[in-house]
Amino acid sequence: MHSKVLKVLEFNKIIDLLKSCAITSLGKEKVLGIEPIYNINEIQRLQDETTEATEMIIKKGNIPLGGMKDIRNSLKRVSIGGSLNIEELVYIADFIYVCKKVLNYSKHENKNDNFPVLDPIFEIVEPSIKLEKEIRRCILDTFNIVDDATRELYDIRKNIKSANDRIKEQLNTIIHSSTYKTMLQDFVITIRNDRFCVPIKQEYKTSFPGMIHDQSSTGATVFMEPMSIIELNNKIKTLISREKVEIDKILRNLSEKVLEEKDTLQFNLDLLTNLDVIFARASLSLKMNGTRPIFNTKGYINIKKGRHPLLDKDKVVPTNIYLGKEFNMLLVTGPNTGGKTVSLKTIGLFTLMGQSGLHIPAFDNSELAVFDNIFADIGDEQSIEQSLSTFSSHMSNIVEILKNVTDNSLVLLDELGSGTDPTEGAGLAIAILNYLHQRQIRTAVTTHYSELKVYAISTDGIENASCEFDIETLRPTYKLLIGVPGKSNAFAISKRLGLQEDIINDAKSVISKEDAKFEDIITDLEITKKSVELERERAQQYRQEAEKLKAEFELEKEKLELQKKSIISKAQEESRNILLQAKIEADTLIKKVNKFSKNLDTSVINDLRQDINQKIEDKSNILQKNNISNKKVLKTVNKGDEVFIHSFNQKGIVLDPPDSNDEVFVQAGIMKFKVSIKDLSLSNESQKKVSVNTISKRFTSSVKSEKSKYISPEIDLRGYMVLDAIEKIDKYLDDAYLAGLNQVTIIHGKGTGALRVGIHDHLRKHPHVQKYRLGAFGEGDAGVTIVEFK
């Protein structure tokens, strides 16, 4: 694509924005080379990368590339046998550290996270960990080698320190000696020419035993190295030379290790640079509130609520632009500064951005076509040097466009035919548009000519459009109204700017009645179009509000149903507990009566038994009425059938079929008794069991023995939502408690911790729970919770 078109459509400004989103210098450099591509599969791959990177930034933050340095020159130097300096080696270690950070960034805490395009890229990042460790072991920072990088260096530096200490000791003796007190200019130790010296007065330089290395600017002081430390200074100088040789040796060895990892380092460098560009595209998308466009090869453009990315998004009215399906040519008319050129640039710039892998600032599911080229003649390119007028400049561009345009090109023409005689300009413009229209080339054009408006109205496959313009503020809204030709609004704008009323009226009288009538028709069309657009938007808004209210109503309805079921269930559980308690107490009472029945009147005992049984029966009937909607009424049962006794909330076995009173003799645990057949249902219809911690030990033990056959000592809730998990826990804890288990294990996994927190909040107030804790090592660690019952 011609660089002039990229500049005209301001693609270079988008690249500047993208460059500012890149983190590394290499990424910024690579961004500058981005150009649109024309293979739809490759475009889709780039869009996939941008979309997944956007999702990763939202979930994890931006990719951690901070601290990554450009090590290309260092890699080139080692490849030709050169040795790297300390700073270069530190930069290589820093780069490897960034590789490790990027690799950790790619690991997903949530197992459901899946990035099929980016995950394979992250997986091939290969940090040279051993090289980084060796560099860090030997190098302290960008200036210093670690003392124990090698044994030889350690010994050299130890000897240097020892010699320095001896020199300082002797110099301190000299400057504090009474012998040299009058000779010293100052009681300090200085260094001159890398030698330790003391400041001696000029008149004592021949008396002081030593070597002169320097003197002060006034000449009053000479800096002398005492004879007693000359040998030590010489030794230090020798040791320093050996230290430099050893450091060079260390740097050379490290450089050789870098050479061994050169290919891996270069591969990772290219990989991280590419990731930087991908995440820069994603960052720009988030800044622009961008979305991924849908691409087609049919030349169809449908931009929904698009905003030019270089305009203030808070002031620009989002606009819909479509082209290529019902019509192939869009003719935009309206006043100057009305936003016509912005509409053209929006179409072209969105196409360039999309084909470069960038998201566009538009509504979801906007569509763009893949064009093999974009041709644009926008703006006044009058050239003084080439003696080209505005018209000549435009025509030169158009001639070049018509020579190179293909059937799969996009053509954008601004102010077609302007700069010359209006009649000839309009005729020439219609002829050019005819040529493009006959070839079915997607074209968007701006113009002032009324003749072109008529041409668009009367020609199939060409559609008029206008840009909305606020007369009150004299500002464009940049909203495109497709289907309505625009007015120039010259009179209204002139009046608003203060032109005299009589001049405006005189101008109106000059215009022919036909032209004025045509402009009035255009005005009516524009008003009607705006009204329809407004009503359509209102209808869409009302529909969305209605759908939202419906969803809220359904949610509230569902909540009420759940609350209703919960209240009913709780009431039924309480009723069953009361009835069970009554039956146990009655059984105990009857036994006591039997024990002392020898001394009592038999009729009194029978009356008492009958009264107790009647009360139990009454309570049972009440409970049956409450539960009638939740069970299937049995007409008959056979001996040996397994049934569920609702009033006891317990399974039982039929011992005898129903008698004449429809009462069935059943056994539940060790208890045998008669119940009404209405109180029974098949065991597979049994309802939720309830806790019976107030029931006598004899009945509880029978229930426990039955429950313990089926209750597992652990429950797995991984993958459940918190509310669903709590519902499961309630049922499980009741059953486990009834079964006599001392403790149970709840498996919730580690994950984000939300499920664990929700379960712990519920356990904290559960009536059966005495205490709970996280699993210890070997029990499942923080992925499980151990619960102990009261």
Side-chain angles (χ1 to χ4, degrees), residues 531-591:
S531 177
V532 171
E533 285 286 329
L534 182 61
E535 292 301 323
R536 185 185 64 78
E537 290 178 0
R538 283 180 178 175
Q540 185 177 2
Q541 182 180 356
Y542 292 152
R543 187 180 73 250
Q544 291 174 348
E545 290 177 357
E547 290 175 352
K548 183 180 178 181
L549 289 173
K550 180 182 177 183
E552 291 176 353
F553 172 76
E554 292 294 336
L555 184 61
E556 289 299 322
K557 182 180 178 182
E558 186 178 346
K559 286 181 180 178
L560 286 174
E561 285 295 327
L562 290 173
Q563 289 175 358
K564 178 182 176 182
K565 290 179 180 179
S566 176
I567 292 170
I568 293 173
S569 176
K570 186 177 180 181
Q572 290 174 347
E573 288 177 2
E574 290 177 354
S575 300
R576 282 192 289 267
N577 278 331
I578 292 170
L579 186 57
L580 286 171
Q581 178 67 21
K583 285 182 180 291
I584 296 302
E585 290 176 355
D587 184 57
T588 303
L589 183 58
I590 288 170
K591 285 183 178 181

Side-chain angles (χ1 to χ4, degrees), residues 674-737:
K674 279 189 176 184
V675 294
S676 172
I677 193 171
K678 296 178 182 179
D679 194 30
L680 302 178
S681 64
L682 296 180
S683 62
N684 57 4
E685 297 176 18
S686 61
Q687 300 177 353
K688 180 181 177 183
K689 308 294 184 293
V690 295
S691 171
V692 289
N693 41 330
T694 58
I695 301 177
S696 68
K697 291 183 179 180
R698 184 180 63 177
F699 185 72
T700 301
S701 63
S702 69
V703 175
K704 286 181 178 179
S705 64
E706 184 70 15
K707 283 280 184 186
S708 61
K709 296 177 183 178
Y710 307 100
I711 297 300
S712 170
E714 64 181 30
I715 182 171
D716 191 349
L717 299 175
R718 287 176 292 184
Y720 280 84
M721 300 296 289
V722 174
L723 290 178
D724 295 334
I726 288 174
E727 184 178 351
K728 289 272 185 184
I729 288 174
D730 275 336
K731 172 72 167 60
Y732 174 74
L733 292 178
D734 284 342
D735 290 345
Y737 181 80

